[in-house]
Structures are given as C-alpha cells and as structure tokens.
Amino acid sequence: MTASPELTMLDERTIPQLGFGTWQVEPDVAQASVETALETGYRHIDTAAIYGNEEGVGRAIAGSGLPREEIFLTTKLWDDSHGHDDALAAFDASLERLGTDHVDLYLIHWPCPQDGRYLEAWEALVEIRATGRARSIGVSNFPAELLQETAGTGVVPVVNQIELHPWFPQVELRAANASLGVLTEAWSPLGQGGELLQDPTIAQIAQEVSATPAQTVLAWHLAIGNIVFPKSVTPERIRENWGALEVGLGEEHLERLTALGREDGRLGSDPMHHG
Ligand code: NAD
C-alpha cells in the first residue's frame, strides 16, 4: 500500500501530507467513510467539534485495528470557547467524544477578531500541549497579521489551515506562513467539488498526465508543499483521491494551475469577518 509523504513541523513532529476531511459528514456516515479511508491507506483524519461527528470518527479509529500511534488525528476548538477555561473544557469534551487519550493536532478553528480572545485561546492550547494530550497545536483561518501576533507569544503555531485551491491559491498567505516556519494546510482543496473540477485548464492538464481533475488538483497541492485532506463519502472517490500520490506534475503544470487564481475565488467566509 502506498504511504503518504510526511512533512516535519516546527516542533519536529511529522504529519502525513495527504489526509482525509470530514466536514458536513453525519456521525454514522463519518464512521463508514473514515473506515474506508483507513483501509485505503489514509493515516491523517481532520475533524472539528463543530462538525458534530467526532464520535463517528473515534469509532472508526478504534475499530480499525490500527495502533493509535499510526493515525494522525486533528480536531478544532470552536468559536464559542475562546475563553481560557472554556477552551480547556471544550478540549476535554472533544477527547471524550473521540474516545482517545490524545489528539495529534489541536487548532483554533477561526480567530474571531471581533471577540478578540484568540490569544487567550492560544494560551489554553499551549497548556493543553504541555499535558501531552494534544501533541501539536496550531491555528486555522488566521490572516498573516494575526498569525504573526500569535507567533509573538513565543509559541509558533505549527500549521495554519486556510481555504486554498487553484481558484484561490493564497500565494501571499502561504509565503507569510512559510516565513515563520508554519506549514500550510489547505481546506476545500477541491473547491468543495464544484465548478473548479470542470475548469478547462485543469481538464487539459489532467489529460496530459493521465489523471482525473481531482487527482490533478491534489497533486498540485502536494507538489507545492500543502497538507490536504479532501472529503468524500463515496468509496470510489476516496480511493481516487488517494491515487493523487501517483501523479507527477512538471514545473510548467504547477505554474499553469497556480495562475488560475481569481479575484472572486474564495468560497468560504472571510476570516476577518467570521464569528
Ligand atoms: P473539498 O474541497 O475536499 O471537496 C469535497 C467535495 O468534493 C465532496 O463533497 C464531493 O462533492 C467532491 N469530491 C470529492 N472527491 C471528488 C472526486 N474525486 N471527484 C469529484 N468530486 C469529488 O471540500 P471540504 O470538505 O470543504 O474541505 C476538505 C476538508 O477541509 C473538510 O472536510 C474539513 O476537514 C476541512 N475544512 C476546514 C475548514 C476550516 O475552517 N478549518 C473549512 C472547510 C473545510
């Protein structure tokens, strides 16, 4: 079975570059799809408290027969729990639902700048990491200035998980992450499976490299150094997406894909106005 490449984070732990996402997946369906993902070879699962499926994800991991140490599990702190004590309690509740004694990565899901408590939440994550129950800690949806401010506390997030796909390549924020040694995780890597996968340039490159459009887009992410966790509940697609590991893109393909960025490419919320 092919294994995903691993990247090394600032804290010297490693993370599988190709993982599996679970947003908008009901708990029972999450269990079945994570089981299929683990059978396929995925060893990195991305969930969040707000997805409401941590129990299903936990059941799939527990029932997989795989040693817990072989699976990289991420969950996230929701917006209503940025206060220090609320964050500690929210983390305990996530672990309980996941049925595990640790997560590999715990993230602040959104900074919610209007609430202005992301540094308080970050302090709580630093404490949680010290207990060993979250092996690594990071952030999600942090614009460059908020990331820099967080790094200024002396503990730099190991990842920044942001919306990123060929129509929204986030060239500047990727560079800002990299300048701090922060790895970029790309959410909605397939543009949520919408019109992006019908893009004629993507179709053309897919044909040139004998891959599907989804595999071509995922191969671009992997080649430029992003961590990705495409979501699917369809076994054939879960396996198809894993096949991206076999797709080789040349420098010219990468440039053509990055050039697809559009002014209106963002699909999700603007982090400065979310929350
Ligand atoms: P995605 O880009 O992974 O697209 C998923 C959709 O694409 C599926 O629902 C399906 O319709 C389609 N699809 C999947 N495989 C396909 C294939 N091979 N061919 C054709 N269509 C295919 O979108 P996503 O779920 O938004 O993002 C991935 C993961 O990122 C999420 O599941 C979640 O774990 C994470 N995420 C995080 C945040 C955040 O704020 N941190 C926000 C959104 C998503």
Side-chain angles (χ1 to χ4, degrees), residues 20-25 45-48 51 76 78 107-110 139-141 161-165 186-194 196-197 212-215 218 228-234 236-238 240-241 267 274:
F20 185 71
T22 63
W23 182 38
Q24 295 178 314
V25 186
I45 312 295
D46 183 87
T47 183
Y51 300 171
K76 315 187 191 87
W78 188 239
L107 305 180
I108 300 177
H109 205 144
W110 293 88
V139 298
S140 177
N141 298 304
Q161 182 179 127
I162 56 174
E163 179 180 346
L164 200 168
H165 42 77
W187 64 253
S188 294
L190 298 173
Q192 298 174 7
L196 173 75
L197 295 180
T212 67
Q215 289 172 333
L218 293 171
V228 273
F229 18 81
K231 170 247 163 182
S232 174
V233 295
T234 311
E236 293 72 29
R237 284 178 169 175
I238 293 172
E240 175 187 332
N241 294 342
L267 297 169
H274 167 102

Side-chain angles (χ1 to χ4, degrees), residues 86-138:
D86 288 345
L88 298 184
F91 178 74
D92 287 346
S94 275
L95 271 196
E96 179 81 28
R97 287 189 293 268
L98 288 162
T100 181
D101 62 356
H102 74 278
V103 293
D104 297 279
L105 180 60
Y106 196 45
L107 305 180
I108 300 177
H109 205 144
W110 293 88
C112 305
Q114 297 81 348
D115 294 346
R117 301 217 284 181
Y118 50 88
L119 291 182
E120 189 178 335
W122 184 242
E123 204 177 297
L125 264 62
V126 172
E127 283 176 32
I128 291 166
R129 189 187 62 169
T131 70
R133 292 178 312 146
R135 301 270 163 91
S136 297
I137 53 174

